[in-house]
Amino acid sequence: MASNSTMANVNGRETVSLNGEPVVKRPRECSSQVTALRVPKEPQNKVTVVLGAQWGDEGKGKVVDLLAMDADIVCRCQGGNNAGHTVVVDSVEYDFHLLPSGVLNKKAVSFIGNGVVIHLPGLFDEAAKNLQKGKGLQGWEERLKISDRAHIVFNFHQAVDGIQEQQRQQQEGKNLGTTKKGIGPAYSSKAARNGIRVCDLVSDFKVFQDKFRMLAEHFLTMYPNLNIDIDGELEQLKGYAERLRPLVTDGVYFMHKALNGPSKKILVEGANAALLDIDFGTYPFVTSSNCTVGGVCTGLGVPPSYVGRVYGVVKAYTTRVGVGAFPTEQDNETGDLLQTRGREFGVTTGRRRRCGWLDLILVRYAHMVNGFSAIALTKLDILDTLPEIKVGVAYNVDGKPLPSFPANMDVLTRVSVEYKTLPGWCCSTEAARSFEDLPSQAQSYIRFIEDFLQVPVKWVGVGKSRESMIKLF
């Protein structure tokens, strides 16, 4: 058999050339260049993350607002307009559901990431309502960017959410207590791979139209009584597409540039909270997204090595909206007092929040999942009138200690809580502006929380304004 190989001489060695192709001498790599590539590169910029450590409504918006004052970019990474953050600036109370709270900083860019599900009528309605309240939101469209990979919540998703809750009530005698904002059905569409994204809406509208009709028909097949005005909603969406187009960007590229470009302060605002996380929360009484630290990476396209400080927001007591196990709940005068003094009504739904003592087993579990760098302790002033304050420090089931936070909700409903009773301070903390200004008993309460969790408390909230957030270090 004839061979096509020929011999060539390279550096005194004979080398085979195949099929008559010339032998190419590979240049020797520069050792210093190779060494530089092999040395781990420290990220130029890291994201600072603010997350809820309980069941939501901890006061994340206030902490974000505080940190957003000197941030360059403020991001939302998951959830939808089921979230509710209240921020008070210059005596004006703003309510945010989809917009990042940092949108009030006119020097910062606000970014809604791919992990968020967006109800467009809700987004524009929210902006309009907040514009009527004060000047804080003026020019919001010029400083908002939205990921082209974010999924859209349609009106029929919201209608389906309501129907599903009704069915649960009829079949099992209990519902999940959803906000009926269409979040679960929208994430279901995303997981079923028939969801529709922002990039679809701002591209060829005829193609979008076909996808929308197909998705609407899919839900009509599942829920024959569903009332969908397909043509009416398409007409509405065509108008939103024009308003949306200037705001849409490639989210992965946007974040990559921000993380690897000139020095920037990047803040991520978590929605909902650890115990509402789809994986780590009190399932099934949870939301439909990952609201723990992992959701930052998947919801923005941020590599894990670019996650910097993670701040957990903890209310000085515990609240929960809707149904589900709540070990430290106080369905008594104490609960009523916390509810009244704390004005505990949901920002999104207006529902009365259930109230109870601070549950440190629950917060410690949230820390295990998120790895908090420090804690922001909010609403300490709500405890001002109590002569003694209890803190949940251990769970027991059938007389035996429970070593960890249970996954099974039937177990969680049966736990008895071991409390540590601490003295109250019975005076107002609202004028305090430093740790030293706080009564000694309030200082002891904070130190007890730090010692139990082995996490430092960085801020303490004693009121509604920015100034009422005391920085400890």
Side-chain angles (χ1 to χ4, degrees):
M1 183 175 165
S3 171
N4 291 326
S5 300
T6 58
M7 305 299 287
N9 192 293
V10 179
N11 289 341
R13 294 180 186 171
E14 286 190 334
T15 308
V16 176
S17 173
L18 295 171
N19 300 321
E21 291 294 323
V23 174
V24 179
K25 183 184 175 186
R26 187 166 178 245
R28 203 171 274 178
E29 292 171 312
C30 171
S31 60
S32 62
Q33 192 177 16
V34 173
T35 305
L37 283 171
R38 288 173 183 165
V39 173
K41 194 178 176 185
E42 187 64 24
Q44 174 69 29
N45 299 313
K46 289 191 174 188
V47 298
T48 298
V49 185
V50 176
L51 299 172
Q54 293 156 302
W55 275 296
D57 310 308
E58 301 94 348
K60 294 180 292 294
K62 190 189 295 181
V63 179
V64 169
D65 179 54
L66 199 68
L67 294 171
M69 288 194 290
D70 63 348
D72 298 295
I73 301 172
V74 184
C75 314
R76 270 281 305 272
C77 63
Q78 46 71 225
N81 60 343
N82 57 334
H85 296 164
T86 302
V87 179
V88 180
V89 179
D90 299 328
S91 301
V92 179
E93 194 172 283
Y94 298 94
D95 292 329
F96 296 112
H97 304 277
L98 262 171
L99 289 168
S101 306
V103 75
L104 293 169
N105 177 358
K106 291 181 168 59
K107 293 178 183 176
V109 174
S110 286
F111 177 58
I112 297 176
N114 58 276
V116 179
V117 288
I118 303 170
H119 183 246
L120 293 169
L123 175 70
F124 291 109
D125 185 51
E126 177 185 325
K129 283 180 179 173
N130 280 300
L131 273 169
Q132 290 173 358
K133 293 181 178 183
K135 296 178 180 179
L137 222 68
Q138 285 178 351
W140 67 276
E141 287 174 282
E142 292 162 25
R143 53 184 188 271
L144 178 68
K145 295 290 177 191
I146 298 174
S147 172
D148 53 356
R149 290 173 170 85
H151 279 249
I152 302 172
V153 180
F154 297 110
N155 291 341
F156 57 72
H157 281 128
Q158 296 193 336
V160 165
D161 207 355
I163 292 169
Q164 288 177 344
E165 278 289 78
Q166 204 172 20
Q167 287 177 345
R168 289 185 199 105
Q169 186 65 47
Q170 289 167 352
Q171 291 164 10
E172 301 171 37
K174 59 182 178 182
N175 53 35
L176 292 180
T178 80
T179 57
K180 299 187 180 74
K181 296 292 182 183
I183 308 305
Y187 277 117
S188 296
S189 293
K190 179 178 179 175
R193 290 162 293 181
N194 60 7
I196 302 174
R197 303 191 293 178
V198 166
C199 58
D200 300 313
L201 178 59
V202 297
S203 298
D204 187 330
F205 195 76
K206 285 183 180 175
V207 176
F208 169 82
Q209 210 165 234
D210 292 340
K211 287 183 178 180
F212 180 85
R213 289 183 187 279
M214 202 178 299
L215 185 59
E217 291 297 335
H218 167 76
F219 278 107
L220 279 167
T221 304
M222 291 172 69
Y223 302 96
N225 295 329
L226 191 62
N227 184 21
I228 306 177
D229 179 4
I230 293 178
D231 293 327
E233 195 165 345
L234 278 169
E235 194 59 39
Q236 186 188 43
L237 287 161
K238 197 171 188 179
Y240 285 132
E242 296 310 309
R243 292 187 69 182
L244 196 65
R245 195 167 280 113
L247 314 180
V248 177
T249 190
D250 181 328
V252 173
Y253 184 59
F254 172 83
M255 287 305 299
H256 178 77
K257 277 201 305 179
L259 291 166
N260 294 284
S263 179
K264 277 186 170 63
K265 287 187 177 179
I266 305 168
L267 183 63
V268 181
E269 171 183 355
N272 315 117
L275 274 295
L276 294 173
D277 184 278
I278 185 73
D279 287 300
F280 301 108
T282 47
Y283 191 89
F285 304 102
V286 292
T287 191
S288 304
S289 62
N290 286 115
C291 25
T292 43
V293 73
V296 174
C297 300
T298 57
L300 292 171
V302 171
S305 58
Y306 286 78
V307 175
R309 296 195 175 278
V310 180
Y311 296 126
V313 186
V314 179
K315 197 180 280 185
Y317 49 103
T318 310
T319 61
R320 180 164 199 177
V321 170
V323 290
F326 184 171
T328 62
E329 182 173 14
Q330 297 299 298
D331 191 11
N332 52 28
E333 286 181 10
T334 301
D336 291 342
L337 183 139
L338 294 171
Q339 201 277 329
T340 305
R341 280 185 55 80
R343 292 172 64 199
E344 296 294 353
F345 294 94
V347 178
T348 302
T349 61
R351 288 180 294 182
R352 187 182 190 274
R353 295 176 188 142
R354 299 153 63 192
C355 298
W357 297 119
L358 178 62
D359 185 338
L360 286 182
I361 308 101
L362 181 150
V363 179
R364 182 175 59 193
Y365 169 71
H367 173 50
M368 289 177 187
V369 175
N370 291 297
F372 297 132
S373 311
I375 278 169
L377 185 69
T378 61
K379 301 187 87 163
L380 185 74
D381 56 304
I382 306 306
L383 306 179
D384 284 353
T385 61
L386 293 165
E388 62 177 32
I389 299 161
K390 292 184 178 181
V391 180
V393 293
Y395 288 167
N396 294 299
V397 174
D398 300 329
K400 295 176 183 176
L402 207 59
S404 60
F405 191 84
N408 189 308
M409 286 307 99
D410 293 332
V411 174
L412 191 64
T413 55
R414 292 193 294 114
V415 302
S416 60
V417 182
E418 228 173 86
Y419 289 101
K420 170 77 174 177
T421 302
L422 299 167
W425 41 93
C426 295
C427 63
S428 176
T429 56
E430 289 181 29
R433 292 298 176 264
S434 70
F435 185 72
E436 291 69 32
D437 288 345
L438 292 169
S440 60
Q441 296 92 332
Q443 293 181 20
S444 297
Y445 186 70
I446 294 162
R447 293 293 180 232
F448 181 83
I449 292 166
E450 289 183 315
D451 291 342
F452 186 94
L453 299 173
Q454 289 297 290
V455 183
V457 172
K458 190 176 177 71
W459 297 277
V460 177
V462 291
K464 293 184 74 175
S465 65
R466 280 175 178 167
E467 297 72 31
S468 66
M469 287 297 287
I470 303 168
K471 190 173 181 181
L472 273 58
F473 64 92

